[in-house]
Amino acid sequence: MLSITEENYIKHILSLDLESSSNLGVGTNELALSLSVKPSSVNVMLKKLREKALIEYEKYGKIQLTEKGRLFGMTIIRKHRLWETFLYQKLDFTWDEVHEVAEQLEHIQSVKLVEKLDKFLGFPKIDPHGDPIPTEKGEIKIASKLFLSEIQTGKKCKMVSVKDNSAVFLKFVQELGLSINNEIEVLSKLDFDESIEISVNNQKSRVSKKFAQNICVILSDKN
Amino acid sequence: MLSITEENYIKHILSLDLESSSNLGVGTNELALSLSVKPSSVNVMLKKLREKALIEYEKYGKIQLTEKGRLFGMTIIRKHRLWETFLYQKLDFTWDEVHEVAEQLEHIQSVKLVEKLDKFLGFPKIDPHGDPIPTEKGEIKIASKLFLSEIQTGKKCKMVSVKDNSAVFLKFVQELGLSINNEIEVLSKLDFDESIEISVNNQKSRVSKKFAQNICVILSDKN
DNA sequence: AAAATTTGTTAGATTAATCTAACTTTATTA
DNA sequence: TAATAAAGTTAGATTAATCTAACAAATTTT
């Protein structure tokens, strides 16, 4: 069994890996920054994780998770996102409060607990932030969250969350008739100011790039 | 903030204190046994807890919690019992599975989480084992759990749980028409074999001392 | 390609929590 | 009450995770 510290190293390696589309692996300093520890601490731990066959790495090289390490990381992310869903849906935590508590809950060791929690929540596919919840086998089945600004012209997507959670922003979102689970079609993009023309509920609107960078969506299956 | 280890020390001191009706305090070896560590480890930690004003103790003396320490311990017990209730009532864990997981969950740090969990569960007063759940202020308001064998002749009590959870025992309990929340009146006790005559649902039965030592009850208010 | 910068590593120190082994104090019993 | 047993303490070692400071390798810039 892994210590909480080891779990956090694995989780951060995986998260950094998932963020950077490239498959080159993670650097020592990068990981140290992400974990808020010094690179020398990371270096010590890397040797330990390599011993346990959770990562592959050699001196001055990049860090890569082994299949075992990846699976471990995925179950931690799975637990994190299930707990976030629980806190949000069942305990009425707000959107921005769930992360901190889930950081702790994700380390609870009990396979049965995760299974039962999943069932209790009705086998959710995405968490309150719109991020996909990995399966028991560590697979991410649905498309990952993107920003509306990243969707290609002509494609349809579904709104899953917002990045900015300020009252001002949310009010504007509402005025556009946008809300969670709405389908959005990207009609056109203007090179001039990078503004985007979208269609929601058969109603066309034009939004700025900055706005689109704060709307989180997943690509629809019907593309 | 306390480490998980420190929290466990405080919790065990409080539990040993609550178990032993006497108010003499807890011994080093006793605590070491309860925590599954060596007495020398306890000794080191005692100095630390004294520094933090959580316990009172002097060399070769007994360990006593300060008011601050007692409150801390109570909030850990409160969290433990609330989580046990959650696991049992909402996630369909069995009676004997809840403890192990609650041992981990009790260390999650979030006042808001405890409040919201309490509300979600409908402000329960006792946990699945029949033990009282302390209030936010660290008070135990309802009578503590006793064994049926400890109830005086003529008194009424309410069944809250069983100690033995074997199928054989539970079947026998059922045959007597006994179940959770039933009111039991102790009609008489026989000095000869210490058997007890009880009344449940206006039906009289005679049970052995051993049987009565496995039925957990709380005294009724109407005594 | 040499210099400068960034990135990564090593050695040695520190802290928390534990252990073993030797010792001291307190309590029990013969 | 003296001997024995039980309970409690101390010193010194160990492990995990961190740090600082000095150093080495790789990359980027000039």
Side-chain angles (χ1 to χ4, degrees):
Chain A
M1 222 190 57
L2 299 190
S3 68
I4 290 181
T5 310
E6 288 168 327
E7 287 198 352
N8 276 328
Y9 273 80
I10 296 297
K11 185 184 70 165
H12 278 82
I13 295 167
L14 179 56
S15 298
L16 290 171
D17 233 358
L18 294 177
E19 278 168 30
S20 81
S21 41
S22 78
N23 257 21
L24 301 171
V26 177
T28 303
N29 284 2
E30 191 187 358
L31 182 54
L33 194 70
S34 168
L35 285 160
S36 300
V37 299
K38 300 295 167 189
S40 57
S41 306
V42 169
N43 198 269
V44 174
M45 181 60 92
L46 291 182
K47 290 166 186 167
K48 203 164 139 192
L49 296 177
R50 183 174 52 191
E51 271 310 298
K52 296 194 175 184
L54 294 161
I55 61 169
E56 276 164 25
Y57 127 96
E58 47 196 62
K59 240 190 185 181
Y60 297 107
K62 292 292 178 184
I63 307 154
Q64 301 248 205
L65 288 172
T66 61
E67 185 48 33
K68 184 180 165 193
R70 203 194 61 86
L71 186 63
F72 239 113
M74 280 298 186
T75 73
I76 301 167
I77 291 181
R78 172 171 160 79
K79 287 195 276 181
H80 183 100
R81 294 183 179 169
L82 282 173
W83 279 117
E84 282 195 340
T85 306
F86 169 72
L87 295 173
Y88 185 79
Q89 281 187 8
K90 302 293 181 179
L91 298 197
D92 290 321
F93 270 69
T94 63
W95 183 84
D96 54 311
E97 291 169 333
V98 296
H99 183 74
E100 192 189 333
V101 182
E103 285 283 293
Q104 299 178 62
L105 287 163
E106 72 191 8
H107 299 293
I108 303 293
Q109 299 290 353
S110 167
V111 174
K112 188 169 259 172
L113 176 59
V114 183
E115 281 171 11
K116 291 197 176 250
L117 184 63
D118 193 24
K119 186 178 176 189
F120 182 62
L121 297 172
F123 308 105
K125 296 286 168 285
I126 62 168
D127 74 11
H129 302 298
D131 289 306
I133 298 172
T135 67
E136 269 179 283
K137 288 171 183 162
E139 291 154 351
I140 290 186
K141 290 218 168 161
I142 65 166
S144 280
K145 188 176 70 173
L146 295 168
F147 294 118
L148 177 56
S149 52
E150 297 173 281
I151 304 299
Q152 289 176 294
T153 305
K155 296 280 181 185
K156 288 172 185 166
C157 57
K158 190 173 79 172
M159 174 165 162
V160 291
S161 65
V162 291
K163 190 184 173 198
D164 183 339
N165 204 41
S166 68
V168 194
F169 180 74
L170 292 177
K171 199 179 165 205
F172 186 43
V173 171
Q174 214 170 4
E175 280 172 14
L176 285 168
L178 261 173
S179 65
I180 300 288
N181 286 326
N182 264 181
E183 190 169 78
I184 306 174
E185 184 175 354
V186 176
L187 300 174
S188 69
K189 294 189 180 191
L190 213 62
D191 279 348
F192 166 62
D193 59 358
E194 298 182 276
S195 67
I196 300 169
E197 193 191 12
I198 58 173
S199 162
V200 188
N201 298 323
N202 292 316
Q203 209 196 318
K204 292 180 189 176
S205 319
R206 175 164 296 280
V207 299
S208 70
K209 187 188 185 184
K210 191 176 171 190
F211 179 86
Q213 284 172 334
N214 280 287
I215 299 290
C216 303
V217 300
I218 55 175
L219 269 174
S220 295
D221 304 327
K222 8 180 171 169
N223 276 308
Chain B
M1 224 189 56
L2 299 189
S3 69
I4 290 181
T5 310
E6 289 168 327
E7 286 198 354
N8 276 328
Y9 273 81
I10 296 296
K11 186 185 71 169
H12 279 81
I13 295 167
L14 179 57
S15 297
L16 290 171
D17 232 358
L18 293 176
E19 278 168 29
S20 81
S21 41
S22 78
N23 259 21
L24 300 172
V26 176
T28 303
N29 284 1
E30 190 187 1
L31 182 54
L33 195 70
S34 168
L35 285 160
S36 301
V37 298
K38 300 295 166 187
S40 56
S41 306
V42 169
N43 198 268
V44 174
M45 181 60 90
L46 291 183
K47 289 166 187 168
K48 203 164 139 192
L49 296 177
R50 183 174 52 189
E51 270 310 298
K52 296 193 175 186
L54 293 162
I55 61 168
E56 276 165 26
Y57 127 97
E58 48 196 63
K59 241 189 182 184
Y60 297 108
K62 292 291 179 186
I63 307 154
Q64 302 250 201
L65 288 173
T66 60
E67 184 50 32
K68 184 181 164 190
R70 203 195 62 86
L71 185 63
F72 239 111
M74 280 298 187
T75 73
I76 301 167
I77 291 181
R78 170 172 162 80
K79 288 196 275 182
H80 182 101
R81 294 183 180 168
L82 282 173
W83 279 117
E84 282 195 340
T85 306
F86 169 72
L87 296 172
Y88 185 80
Q89 282 187 7
K90 302 292 182 179
L91 298 196
D92 292 320
F93 270 68
T94 63
W95 183 86
D96 53 314
E97 289 169 334
V98 297
H99 182 76
E100 192 189 334
V101 183
E103 285 282 293
Q104 298 179 61
L105 287 164
E106 74 193 5
H107 299 293
I108 304 293
Q109 299 290 353
S110 166
V111 173
K112 189 169 258 173
L113 176 59
V114 184
E115 281 172 12
K116 288 190 176 261
L117 185 63
D118 192 24
K119 186 178 176 188
F120 181 62
L121 298 171
F123 308 105
K125 296 286 169 285
I126 61 169
D127 74 12
H129 302 297
D131 290 306
I133 297 172
T135 67
E136 269 179 283
K137 288 173 184 163
E139 292 155 351
I140 290 186
K141 287 218 169 161
I142 65 167
S144 278
K145 189 176 71 174
L146 295 167
F147 293 118
L148 176 58
S149 53
E150 298 173 278
I151 304 298
Q152 289 176 292
T153 305
K155 297 279 180 186
K156 288 172 184 166
C157 57
K158 192 172 78 171
M159 176 166 161
V160 290
S161 65
V162 291
K163 190 182 173 197
D164 184 339
N165 203 41
S166 69
V168 195
F169 179 74
L170 292 178
K171 199 179 165 203
F172 186 42
V173 171
Q174 214 170 3
E175 280 172 14
L176 285 169
L178 259 174
S179 65
I180 300 287
N181 286 325
N182 263 181
E183 190 170 81
I184 306 173
E185 183 175 355
V186 175
L187 300 173
S188 68
K189 295 188 177 192
L190 213 63
D191 278 349
F192 166 62
D193 61 358
E194 299 182 276
S195 67
I196 300 170
E197 191 189 13
I198 58 172
S199 162
V200 187
N201 298 324
N202 293 315
Q203 207 194 318
K204 292 180 189 177
S205 318
R206 176 164 294 280
V207 300
S208 71
K209 186 187 187 187
K210 190 176 172 189
F211 178 86
Q213 285 172 330
N214 281 286
I215 298 289
C216 303
V217 299
I218 53 175
L219 268 175
S220 295
D221 304 325
K222 11 181 169 168
N223 277 309

